[in-house]
Amino acid sequence: MSHVAIVGGGIAGLSAAYELAKRSVPFQIFEASHRFGGIVETEHHDGFVMECGPDGWITEKPWARELAIELGLADDLIASNDATRITWIYRDGQLHAIPEGMRMMVPTNLNALRYSALFSQEAIEAYEREPSRAHELKQYAADHAGTDESVANFIRRHFGEEVTRTIAAPLLAGVFGGDVGTLSAEAVMPQFVSMEREHGSLINALTARTSANAQPVFTSLRNGLGTLIDSIVVTLPQQSQKLHHTVAAIKHENAHWHVEASGEWRAFDHLILATPAHVTRTLLSSIDTEAAALLDMPASSAVLVALAFTAEQSQNIQIPAGFGFLVPPKTQGSGLLAATFVDQKFPHRVPPGGRLLRAFFGSATAEQMQSETDAYIAAVAHAQLCDLLGTQLPEPSHTVVRRWPQSLPQYTVGHRARMRRLDERIALQPALTLLGNAYRGVGLPDLIRDGRATAASIAT
Ligand SMILES: Cc1cc2nc3c(=O)[nH]c(=O)nc-3n(C[C@H](O)[C@H](O)[C@H](O)COP(=O)(O)OP(=O)(O)OC[C@H]3O[C@@H](n4cnc5c(N)ncnc54)[C@H](O)[C@@H]3O)c2cc1C
């Protein structure tokens, strides 16, 4: 029976390990750090569930939910509190609500735009014109089939410059830590690209399908996503788990993959590299230089700060209703890209009356913060939240700071074509698979789907 090495114990590697264990395929999972989960990590303090990385997944993609149910976590699944699903955008010194019915930057209710101060009359008119431009937009898609473009270009063609700057830029920065001017439309918003191909107008396409889709936008686990990691790890044989094992080199010899960790070489039939792109690139450089070069992709760093306030401290905290707010990149005086009002987004994350805020820094600010102290980063997050919310927050009872260097790979224009070429190169190697957030999606459901599918195909 095939003996498999998995390098990297984030959700991608763990999903593969889970499926191999389930199918009784022997494997070893090498993880450099002291814990499994990678970017997925939860801390608990006095009834506060403090996510250090992701805080949920997109409900529409079924693979994380399916895994959670298989692991016996069906009763722990929680839905985002969509009754209060308002996201705010900071503009001209104040927070403006994204109008009701928006799917990212595409409205499904044009009337709601008229009551929003977020957009100028000109931007509203650009939105109103888009459905009548369906034929022209569809023709453009047909004429440019197979050609990628930036998200900025794509959104500008549909809705103009103001919409691109005011809503598309902060949304993409808040989710991917990325720049709309360089991110790939076909890799980052494939659903909109295929809507354009089919309908021309995105507004027409979304309006046609919205009524059928009533599920909550996000799903999570009552006690945090760390529960998912813990529940996977208990299914893995103890002897397969190699924590504190940094894989320093790999080679293929005598029909086997050889993996060097902690000064020892071990042989395997199949190798799964589930490390971040920059690590995979280094490991692959001695195997295939073209494949390694294709992995030379930019990755944005992230810093997350969670601030918890007890019920007593929260009495005078004024937070608008909703899930949180976004700040357009390069807003004067702010490096903050997004904040989540955790206690309003997900139930059960705070003790009664408590409040929990999360601040997300990305790009250049997060890069600079990697070498700052926790105390400094927490103070910056606190000050910027006070400033942008226009309120004085007390000192939090608990603070969690996490730095995630180079954690958000940037799918820049041409990403899919480069990944097809990478697949061709990897297919030339016997029994080698790449998993992780650099290739086919950064979200947890995509990584779980790919990890399990890879393991299933190795097993069969
Ligand atoms: C701040 C932030 C918030 C996010 N929020 C969400 C969200 O709400 N919902 C969502 O769906 N997605 C979210 N994402 C994306 C998602 O969390 C990540 O894409 C995903 O967790 C990455 O998983 P991974 O297994 O590919 O990589 P990682 O989690 O990075 O795991 C890779 C592992 O490899 C290990 N490793 C590295 N080098 C070696 C080596 N040489 N040898 C052995 N081990 C090694 C690392 O220690 C790490 O444990 C977020 C990402 C970030 C950064």
Side-chain angles (χ1 to χ4, degrees):
M1 182 174 273
S2 182
H3 192 191
V4 184
I6 303 171
V7 186
I11 190 66
L14 282 178
S15 301
Y18 167 75
E19 195 65 34
L20 290 176
K22 196 174 120 183
R23 292 164 185 262
S24 306
V25 177
F27 69 91
Q28 295 194 4
I29 179 163
F30 297 95
E31 166 53 45
S33 74
H34 66 285
R35 50 170 281 279
F36 288 112
I39 299 168
V40 183
E41 186 186 359
T42 309
E43 283 198 11
H44 297 92
H45 294 280
D46 296 338
F48 290 96
V49 179
M50 301 172 83
E51 296 286 17
C52 308
D55 67 350
W57 64 78
I58 294 176
T59 306
E60 213 173 40
K61 298 188 172 189
W63 308 288
R65 180 187 193 85
E66 284 168 8
L67 176 60
I69 291 172
E70 245 183 79
L71 290 165
L73 297 172
D75 291 342
D76 288 355
L77 289 166
I78 55 170
S80 52
N81 189 5
D82 285 9
T84 65
R85 188 165 74 88
I86 303 169
T87 301
W88 302 79
I89 293 190
Y90 185 80
R91 186 183 179 183
D92 301 332
Q94 51 180 308
L95 294 176
H96 299 276
I98 296 181
E100 194 198 313
M102 296 291 276
R103 299 287 176 268
M104 295 186 75
M105 61 298 282
V106 185
T108 57
N109 176 2
L110 284 170
N111 286 330
L113 297 178
R114 300 201 184 98
Y115 303 102
S116 163
L118 184 60
F119 301 113
S120 70
Q121 190 54 33
E122 204 184 340
I124 293 173
E125 283 166 14
Y127 270 132
E128 287 173 342
R129 269 196 309 276
E130 198 251 10
S132 64
R133 294 174 50 225
H135 180 72
E136 166 212 327
L137 290 162
K138 195 169 172 176
Q139 190 58 49
Y140 183 98
D143 293 345
H144 294 81
T147 316
D148 195 9
E149 65 184 317
S150 70
V151 169
N153 217 49
F154 180 85
I155 298 302
R156 208 179 281 127
R157 286 195 295 104
H158 284 259
F159 309 118
E161 180 60 28
E162 183 183 327
V163 168
T164 307
R165 239 182 319 107
T166 305
I167 181 165
L171 269 172
L172 275 285
V175 176
F176 296 96
D179 174 357
V180 279
T182 55
L183 287 173
S184 149
E186 71 170 3
V188 166
M189 41 180 57
Q191 71 286 21
F192 287 156
V193 171
S194 68
M195 281 176 197
E196 181 185 59
R197 216 176 298 127
E198 205 181 323
H199 300 266
S201 157
L202 305 181
I203 295 179
N204 287 347
L206 270 184
T207 317
R209 50 167 239 176
T210 305
S211 52
N213 189 358
Q215 52 184 352
V217 180
F218 302 106
T219 300
S220 192
L221 292 167
R222 189 179 302 273
N223 291 313
L225 295 178
T227 322
L228 188 68
I229 302 301
D230 297 344
S231 305
I232 295 174
V233 172
V234 295
T235 70
L236 310 181
Q238 196 65 45
Q239 69 277 15
S240 298
Q241 302 177 28
K242 305 287 174 201
L243 288 173
H244 301 289
H245 279 66
T246 301
V247 170
I250 57 170
K251 63 184 178 190
H252 192 263
E253 260 175 29
N254 305 327
H256 281 87
W257 283 103
H258 300 261
V259 167
E260 196 226 311
S262 305
E264 192 187 328
W265 284 95
R266 300 163 217 229
F268 297 90
D269 301 300
H270 198 117
L271 174 61
I272 298 175
L273 295 179
T275 35
H278 61 279
V279 177
T280 305
R281 190 180 99 216
T282 307
L283 292 174
L284 274 182
S285 58
S286 60
I287 308 290
D288 181 331
T289 48
E290 185 184 344
L294 286 160
L295 280 169
D296 188 6
M297 58 198 297
S300 187
S301 295
V303 171
L304 263 180
V305 184
L307 307 174
F309 303 94
T310 61
E312 201 184 355
Q313 291 174 312
S314 300
Q315 276 167 7
N316 296 319
I317 296 181
Q318 300 295 329
I319 303 283
F323 284 6
F325 65 85
L326 300 163
V327 186
K330 303 193 183 90
T331 296
Q332 189 93 40
S334 171
L336 191 72
L337 288 179
T340 309
F341 309 149
V342 179
D343 50 285
Q344 296 179 165
K345 180 175 179 183
F346 286 114
H348 315 294
R349 290 279 158 103
V350 294
R355 306 221 73 144
L356 182 54
L357 302 179
R358 274 197 350 154
F360 169 69
F361 297 89
S363 312
T365 307
E367 211 58 67
Q368 285 157 15
M369 282 179 162
Q370 298 298 317
S371 54
E372 301 288 358
T373 62
D374 281 8
Y376 173 84
I377 294 171
V380 172
H382 187 270
Q384 295 206 0
L385 285 170
C386 290
D387 189 30
L388 298 168
L389 287 167
T391 185
Q392 193 48 48
L393 296 168
E395 282 307 309
S397 64
H398 293 290
T399 305
V400 169
V401 175
R402 275 297 176 284
R403 298 164 195 75
W404 299 114
Q406 296 185 66
S407 53
L408 291 163
Q410 301 295 296
Y411 294 6
T412 54
V413 175
H415 178 81
R416 284 210 166 161
R418 286 193 296 278
M419 292 305 106
R420 280 194 293 276
R421 181 67 190 144
L422 180 62
D423 286 345
E424 285 167 12
R425 295 303 305 177
I426 296 301
L428 297 175
Q429 301 293 332
L432 172 66
T433 312
L434 307 187
L435 291 177
N437 63 6
Y439 314 109
R440 290 164 293 271
V442 298
L444 302 176
D446 298 300
L447 297 170
I448 291 169
R449 174 202 60 201
D450 282 5
R452 297 188 69 181
T454 291
S457 81
I458 292 172
T460 53

